[in-house]
Amino acid sequence: MKIFPAIDLLNEKVVRLYQGDYEQQEVFGEDPVAFAQSFEEKGAKYLHLVDLDGAKDGELRYFSTAEKIVANTNLFVEVGGGIRDEATIERCLAAGVHRVIIGTLPQKNPTLAKQLIEKYGDKIAVGVDARDGKVAVEGWLETTETDAFDFCKELAAWGTKTIIFTEISRDGTGQGINIPLYQQLLQIQGVEFVASGGVATLADITALKQIGIPSAIVGKALYKGTLTLEEVLKEAEESR
């Protein structure tokens, strides 16, 4: 199972939010490259990097940070937050980013999103962020009327390779993962799901692996010290 430690950037600092609320943030540091290097030293092979300012403003703000992390680690880096056009995707991929995440674009401009998914294949992941079962966009500030499960089915039909599914109500709360939700998502064929939002214990990792989720993002638990990256990686590797 792949584990993606998360780095969220806001005001050029490494932060964690509570339920995606920009007003409820905790700052954990000012050097995202050092965090990425630390994750790699502890055994990580993957990194989930999110530009929260970009997500809110609709334009990737911290491209240079992604560039530095790629240049100074051997991590598989995926980047999201404010990626709304092909030029930004090209720029990220040219800099060595392995996968870009689009979330708002498929809702706001499905025609373009479909074309980009078709063109870039597994270089694009779609972030589906759900609030009360509905898709949220624009850095989670706007909730649409789109049913999140139905939208995932639609994305699969478009040929989407990877969906990063976040349950906003659990993100940054330490409540644990909603396993029945991911069991339901696994009914959708042809797409890989990355679980995001609420990983709090090793039991969450074990349960996700047992139902067949291939990847998980771990954030606040690592920063608060309730989980260590070493034990999460060990559990992901060993649990059956």
Side-chain angles (χ1 to χ4, degrees), residues 42-54:
K42 290 169 182 170
K45 292 183 171 63
Y46 306 90
L47 182 72
H48 177 76
L49 180 66
V50 176
D51 180 343
L52 293 172
D53 287 301

Side-chain angles (χ1 to χ4, degrees), residues 101-171:
I101 305 160
I102 55 174
T104 297
L105 186 63
Q107 281 289 309
K108 300 288 183 175
N109 190 342
T111 304
L112 176 60
K114 273 186 216 176
Q115 290 169 354
L116 294 173
I117 288 163
E118 198 171 302
K119 180 172 177 178
Y120 292 98
D122 60 7
K123 300 285 187 190
I124 286 185
V126 177
V128 176
D129 305 319
R131 179 181 282 121
D132 300 324
K134 304 291 186 185
V135 176
V137 294
E138 305 287 1
W140 300 357
L141 298 174
E142 177 190 329
T143 305
T144 68
E145 288 303 309
T146 306
D147 179 84
F149 182 77
D150 290 345
F151 186 49
C152 287
K153 285 197 287 190
E154 191 176 345
L155 289 169
W158 293 1
T160 305
K161 304 293 184 199
T162 306
I163 295 174
I164 299 168
F165 194 97
T166 305
E167 195 176 10
I168 294 171
S169 66
R170 293 185 182 234
D171 191 68

Side-chain angles (χ1 to χ4, degrees), residues 58-60 82-92 100 102 105 109 112 116 120 124:
E59 181 185 346
L60 189 66
I83 298 173
R84 307 277 202 273
D85 56 51
E86 186 170 8
T88 307
I89 291 171
E90 282 285 356
R91 195 174 167 213
C92 287
V100 296
I102 55 174
L105 186 63
N109 190 342
L112 176 60
L116 294 173
Y120 292 98
I124 286 185

